[in-house]
């Protein structure tokens, strides 16, 4: 979306305000970064209330402000609230995506077109955004090796522990057989594993 894109400044009907409020709630329910902040209580015990307050503030901004609604203003308001309420900076581009989606939804509601809200309502995801992202991480193929671990603390992460225990359970390594002396009484010792490999 262009940097100076703006939404119309017309008044929303009561039905449009209700639909827009529902749409904001549905979008926020799918916003993984926000849901992680709420679930992990980045904003303290009242993290859910802070997320709800952000939704109410945005709805109020759309419903009560006169004139055009600018993309940059919405993004700035969302960044400021996330920073202040959750002590976090969402640098994944999701704030911009959500702001764009909300502006489009607002434009549609001004024209009594609730198709975006209907689409969100009908495609309601099973579970919440955080559980969906966890499912993708667990179900996805992870081709990275333990050597590529980004943790600098030297301790294995939870994923490393889960992957390691799953590998140990799935593959039973053959136990080396004991050396047996030959007819002359000599015992052949097998080479050490991994010797000379770096």
């Amino acid at each position: 979306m262009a940097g100076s894109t703006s939404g119309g400044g017309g008044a929303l009907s009561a039905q449009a305000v209700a639909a827009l409020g529902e749409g904001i709630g549905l979008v926020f329910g799918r916003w993984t970064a926000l849901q992680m902040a709420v679930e992990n209580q980045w904003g303290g015990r009242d993290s859910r209330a802070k997320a709800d307050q952000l939704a109410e503030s945005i709805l109020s901004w759309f419903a009560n402000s006169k004139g055009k609604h600018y993309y940059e203003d919405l993004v700035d308001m969302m960044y400021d609230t996330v920073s202040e309420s959750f002590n976090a900076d969402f640098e994944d581009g999701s704030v911009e995506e959500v702001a764009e989606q909300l502006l489009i939804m607002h434009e549609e509601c001004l024209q009594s077109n609730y198709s975006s809200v209907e689409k969100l309502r009908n495609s309601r995801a099973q579970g919440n955004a955080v559980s969906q992202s966890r499912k993708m991480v667990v179900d996805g193929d992870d081709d990275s090796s333990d050597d590529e671990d980004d943790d600098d603390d030297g301790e294995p992460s939870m994923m490393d522990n889960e992957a390691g225990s799953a590998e140990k359970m799935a593959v039973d390594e053959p136990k080396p057989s004991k050396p047996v002396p030959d007819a002359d009484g000599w015992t052949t010792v097998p080479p050490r594993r991994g010797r000379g490999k770096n």
Side-chain angles (χ1 to χ4, degrees), residues 136-184:
M136 289 179 67
V137 169
V138 172
D139 291 347
D141 293 332
D142 186 13
D143 295 334
S144 65
S145 68
D146 292 339
D147 296 336
E148 296 172 4
D149 192 10
D150 292 334
D151 292 340
D152 293 331
D153 58 6
E155 297 180 13
S157 68
M158 185 189 321
M159 291 300 292
D160 291 341
N161 289 340
E162 291 173 5
S165 63
E167 288 175 13
K168 289 177 186 173
M169 291 181 358
V171 178
D172 291 331
E173 292 184 26
K175 294 181 182 177
S177 60
K178 293 185 180 181
V180 179
D182 62 8
D184 294 333

Side-chain angles (χ1 to χ4, degrees), residues 44-104:
R45 291 184 178 177
D46 58 343
S47 292
R48 170 59 56 202
K50 289 178 179 180
D52 293 343
Q53 179 60 45
L54 174 59
E56 290 172 21
S57 297
I58 291 172
L59 180 61
S60 175
W61 183 73
F62 278 127
N64 299 328
S65 63
K66 306 284 187 233
K68 294 188 177 261
H69 298 95
Y70 290 95
Y71 172 78
E72 294 88 2
D73 294 339
L74 180 57
V75 168
D76 289 345
M77 178 175 66
M78 292 170 67
Y79 269 121
D80 290 345
T81 303
V82 165
S83 178
E84 292 171 13
S85 297
F86 299 103
N87 299 315
D89 291 323
F90 296 169
E91 296 178 354
D92 60 351
S94 63
V95 171
E96 291 83 359
E97 281 182 43
V98 169
E100 182 176 354
Q101 192 170 9
L102 295 179
L103 279 169
I104 291 169

